[in-house]
Amino acid sequence: MCFHRILINQKGYKCYHPPSQKFFVSRDVTFFEHQSYFHQAHLQGETARNEDELLMLPDLSFRPEIKTKSVTTEKELTKSTQDGANVRFGKKLVYTRKTKAIPEFVHVQQSNPTLLEVTTPNPLIYTESTSDFPNVQEPESSSTPLYENLDIPIALRKETRKCTTKPLYPLANYLSFKNFLPTHKTFLSSLNTTTTPTSLSEVLSDKKWKQAMDAEMEAFKKNSTWDLVALPNGKKPVGCKWVYTIKYKADGSIERYKARLVAKGFTQTYGVDYMETFAPSAKMNTVRMILSLAANYDWNLQQFDVKNAFLHGEIEEEIYME
Amino acid sequence: MYGLKQSPRAWFGISLGFKQSQGDHTLFIKHSKSRGVTVLLVYVDDIIVTSDDEEEQQRLGQHLAKNFEIKTLGKLKYLLGIEVTHSKKGIFISQQKYITNLLKETGKTACKPASTPIDPNLKLGSAEEDTAVDKEMYQRLVGRLIYLSHTRPDVAFAVSLVSQFMHQPKEVHLQAALRIVQYLNGTPGKGILFKRNGNVSMEAYTDADYARSIVDRK
């Protein structure tokens, strides 16, 4: 039995008897707080055969256990021992499967059954006069074929898994380009066929990426971004890396391959490599204000776009890049 | 150099007598001797220049071209996803293209347009019991709506409501957000018109809604 619940409107605990899957109410209940009703999970393949095992209940599928009614006196306990049941902790033990003894968790002592408003289901309770405890009478020799392999851990009882060679649920069954616009289709399919390189050797073997890198280096030279020097002692260089991107046109076709050398600015330390940070993004309110001014005063409104925007910074601090 | 902390400083070295605004550090103003004003605004690699001093503006253009590799795009037409059109009445800004993309992405292109951005009787709460929706998707959608409210003040209130539940969006919130999208489907061409009326005085209005919020009764 297990799963007690305190019922507010009734004078007792609601108990559950798993084998018969029935509920009943009893006032006389003993709690076994240190024991878990459920099996502690063993590691896969581990054969658990130790003393603790005795205190553990098997899974819910064990055979009906015995509830005794008013089996509380020593005399009766002795009697049940004679019947072949185990006695443990001074309480009546219910039946065991094979060699394992399973202590009863809750010993229901319905010494005063008249108090109970809900009568306990009949099959659960054996009356005092019942001398034949069917389960108890067959202690160790009760290995019926049904329970034969129950001692093997569950994991071993299962078949080994087989790997399926082809995917059970291929993506093609669920994804389709059908619903996309033609322009999106070309973009998506080109996404699959064109990839940005991940390694330097991959880049060097590809002409188009090499061209893109050359263009970037050219821009550096033109802006005289750096000088090649030997790293002075005590200076820490800032790392750098190439970032490759593919620029797409609005219709999804490839516009150009772009390579950009970026410094790993996150390795810069405040006060050493830089004193201030800059974020040149305008507030939208300012944009609106300017537009409003231009409209009201009929000012000429012009727009410029800067190529290689960030190559033009004049750096006051010295930065060494490796 | 990309990636360095101080790279964007390039902009702040522009001299030519421009003064940096303290209200917005990307705004530079120059008052020329001929009582003219030239205003320069920088958004990463986009620059807008407006001036009533033709000469000064030309000089600035040349200066920029000399110091930076620059593409002169002429009259302002498209900036940060905002379309700018010039007419006799004034300057009109809208985000029609942005709205079209938004409708496409949410699959609402063919939906029935709603007449209002939000159900007038809708009171949004945290709706704990409601089913949760994809948070990232919701945040992305509301984020786009927030950007849209730059040219669409008519949805700004509804957007401010749905943006209160970014941390734990539920089905009702998503429905409210999609309702805004439905409203946009009916009115994709709306925007702000800056009228040419010469009135540049500032007017402010405020309104408070007493205890409407079902979250904190504020």
Side-chain angles (χ1 to χ4, degrees):
Chain A
M1 273 154 295
C2 66
F3 303 146
H4 316 280
R5 233 170 39 188
I6 298 165
L7 297 179
I8 296 157
N9 54 348
Q10 281 174 327
K11 299 167 181 158
Y13 294 97
K14 194 174 186 183
C15 304
Y16 177 61
H17 183 239
S20 61
Q21 301 186 330
K22 283 189 175 143
F23 289 92
F24 62 95
V25 174
S26 169
R27 232 169 69 111
D28 214 350
V29 166
T30 315
F31 290 96
F32 286 73
E33 292 185 342
H34 301 295
Q35 289 170 19
S36 165
Y37 176 75
F38 293 102
H39 245 311
Q40 276 164 21
H42 294 297
L43 288 175
Q44 191 172 346
E46 188 191 325
T47 43
R49 278 253 159 233
N50 49 32
E51 299 228 314
D52 294 345
E53 180 86 341
L54 291 173
L55 296 174
M56 272 186 283
L57 267 189
D59 49 312
L60 280 170
S61 62
F62 63 83
R63 286 183 286 165
E65 50 185 295
I66 291 156
K67 259 106 272 126
T68 53
K69 197 174 181 181
S70 313
V71 201
T72 48
T73 57
E74 276 293 284
K75 188 183 153 200
E76 247 121 27
L77 280 174
T78 327
K79 184 186 156 207
S80 39
T81 324
Q82 283 160 358
D83 280 330
N86 299 307
V87 173
R88 196 167 278 270
F89 309 128
K91 289 180 185 79
K92 170 114 179 38
L93 279 185
V94 276
Y95 131 91
T96 72
R97 151 157 63 89
K98 276 193 143 185
T99 54
K100 285 181 250 173
I102 301 104
E104 188 181 2
F105 276 174
V106 179
H107 187 68
V108 184
Q109 300 168 315
Q110 291 173 322
S111 47
N112 198 352
T114 46
L115 271 179
L116 294 172
E117 285 185 34
V118 180
T119 50
T120 50
N122 278 336
L124 290 180
I125 310 297
Y126 295 88
T127 48
E128 217 176 326
S129 54
T130 327
S131 55
D132 52 334
F133 298 103
N135 292 314
V136 180
Q137 275 170 342
E138 29 168 17
E140 308 235 329
S141 56
S142 65
S143 52
T144 51
L146 189 70
Y147 297 99
E148 208 152 42
N149 59 353
L150 278 184
D151 268 353
I152 310 170
I154 291 171
L156 289 183
R157 257 183 268 153
K158 282 186 192 158
E159 263 183 90
T160 45
R161 262 194 209 177
K162 288 183 200 95
C163 276
T164 45
T165 41
K166 61 178 179 186
L168 277 173
Y169 308 102
L171 200 58
N173 288 358
Y174 308 95
L175 263 182
S176 152
F177 284 172
K178 204 170 66 193
N179 296 325
F180 288 114
L181 294 171
T183 53
H184 285 182
K185 262 188 231 175
T186 38
F187 175 66
L188 283 171
S189 52
S190 69
L191 265 189
N192 284 339
T193 48
T194 55
T195 49
T196 48
T198 47
S199 69
L200 195 64
S201 57
E202 215 175 305
V203 175
L204 293 174
S205 61
D206 202 326
K207 207 172 152 195
K208 52 183 192 266
W209 287 117
K210 219 165 168 291
Q211 270 172 1
M213 283 165 77
D214 285 341
E216 175 82 351
M217 292 307 279
E218 198 59 44
F220 281 127
K221 212 191 254 173
K222 209 163 135 197
N223 287 294
S224 50
T225 308
W226 61 47
D227 296 314
L228 272 179
V229 290
L231 184 71
N233 279 340
K235 295 277 186 187
K236 228 175 81 190
V238 172
C240 68
K241 66 180 274 192
W242 284 96
V243 175
Y244 305 97
T245 38
I246 302 172
K247 291 268 176 178
Y248 295 97
K249 283 187 204 155
D251 64 351
S253 59
I254 293 166
E255 188 184 334
R256 67 190 176 107
Y257 294 89
K258 197 170 171 182
R260 180 140 267 166
L261 185 71
V262 295
K264 294 174 180 171
F266 51 85
T267 56
Q268 287 179 278
T269 23
Y270 176 74
V272 180
D273 300 314
Y274 69 99
M275 305 298 167
E276 301 166 87
T277 47
F278 300 88
S281 43
K283 289 178 191 163
M284 219 56 207
N285 305 339
T286 321
V287 177
R288 276 202 297 256
M289 191 201 74
I290 287 183
L291 288 173
S292 172
L293 282 175
N296 271 311
Y297 293 125
D298 199 13
W299 287 351
N300 183 12
L301 199 56
Q302 259 192 320
Q303 186 178 17
F304 299 96
D305 179 79
V306 183
K307 273 191 199 166
N308 296 324
F310 285 164
L311 297 187
H312 302 282
E314 290 285 324
I315 310 179
E316 281 151 23
E317 301 88 354
E318 277 187 341
I319 290 171
Y320 299 92
M321 195 174 78
E322 58 184 1
Chain B
M1 183 78 211
Y2 282 81
L4 290 179
K5 301 264 185 198
Q6 55 272 71
S7 294
R9 182 167 37 192
W11 301 126
F12 306 111
I14 303 165
S15 52
L16 274 175
F18 275 86
K19 263 200 193 139
Q20 189 174 11
S21 160
Q22 282 310 301
D24 186 336
H25 297 288
T26 60
L27 180 69
F28 299 86
I29 306 162
K30 183 183 184 180
H31 295 270
S32 40
K33 283 180 192 113
S34 55
R35 293 184 63 90
V37 178
T38 309
V39 178
L40 183 141
L41 187 78
V42 176
Y43 197 103
V44 189
D45 57 357
D46 281 313
I47 305 171
I48 332 174
V49 177
T50 182
S51 173
D52 58 351
D53 188 339
E54 207 62 40
E55 215 177 291
E56 179 63 42
Q57 198 167 359
Q58 223 139 60
R59 207 171 328 138
L60 176 67
Q62 281 162 11
H63 179 78
L64 288 173
K66 205 167 73 195
N67 288 281
F68 307 100
E69 210 177 315
I70 236 165
K71 223 184 339 185
T72 310
L73 298 170
K75 215 168 191 186
L76 179 64
K77 280 194 203 108
Y78 192 77
L79 175 85
L80 312 170
I82 297 168
E83 293 130 67
V84 184
T85 34
H86 305 258
S87 74
K88 267 182 249 158
K89 277 188 189 164
I91 293 173
F92 179 71
I93 57 170
S94 66
Q95 282 168 293
Q96 190 155 6
K97 205 176 150 202
Y98 195 81
I99 293 174
T100 319
N101 282 337
L102 181 66
L103 287 168
K104 252 187 238 163
E105 220 169 273
T106 48
K108 292 272 179 193
T109 323
C111 77
K112 191 169 163 274
S115 56
T116 50
I118 193 165
D119 180 356
N121 298 316
L122 182 69
K123 287 191 175 177
L124 281 180
S126 48
E128 301 285 352
E129 318 81 52
D130 205 357
T131 44
V133 293
D134 184 355
K135 200 164 153 184
E136 261 169 55
M137 183 266 288
Y138 183 84
Q139 292 177 344
R140 198 175 139 76
L141 174 62
V142 177
R144 302 197 71 170
L145 289 174
I146 290 172
Y147 188 62
L148 195 63
S149 49
H150 281 139
T151 61
R152 296 297 297 265
D154 51 338
V155 299
F157 174 72
V159 172
S160 81
L161 277 186
V162 292
S163 65
Q164 288 168 23
F165 307 99
M166 294 281 239
H167 61 294
Q168 213 177 54
K170 303 283 172 154
E171 191 59 38
V172 273
H173 307 135
L174 181 65
Q175 287 314 317
L178 288 175
R179 162 76 182 240
I180 303 174
V181 179
Q182 274 185 38
Y183 168 74
L184 291 169
N185 195 19
T187 57
K190 279 199 160 62
I192 301 177
L193 174 68
F194 296 102
K195 269 196 200 158
R196 186 199 299 251
N197 55 12
N199 175 21
V200 284
S201 67
M202 191 152 79
E203 289 167 40
Y205 304 89
T206 176
D207 180 29
D209 188 353
Y210 181 70
R212 189 184 194 269
S213 167
I214 59 168
V215 181
D216 54 7
R217 288 284 156 214
K218 275 181 189 159

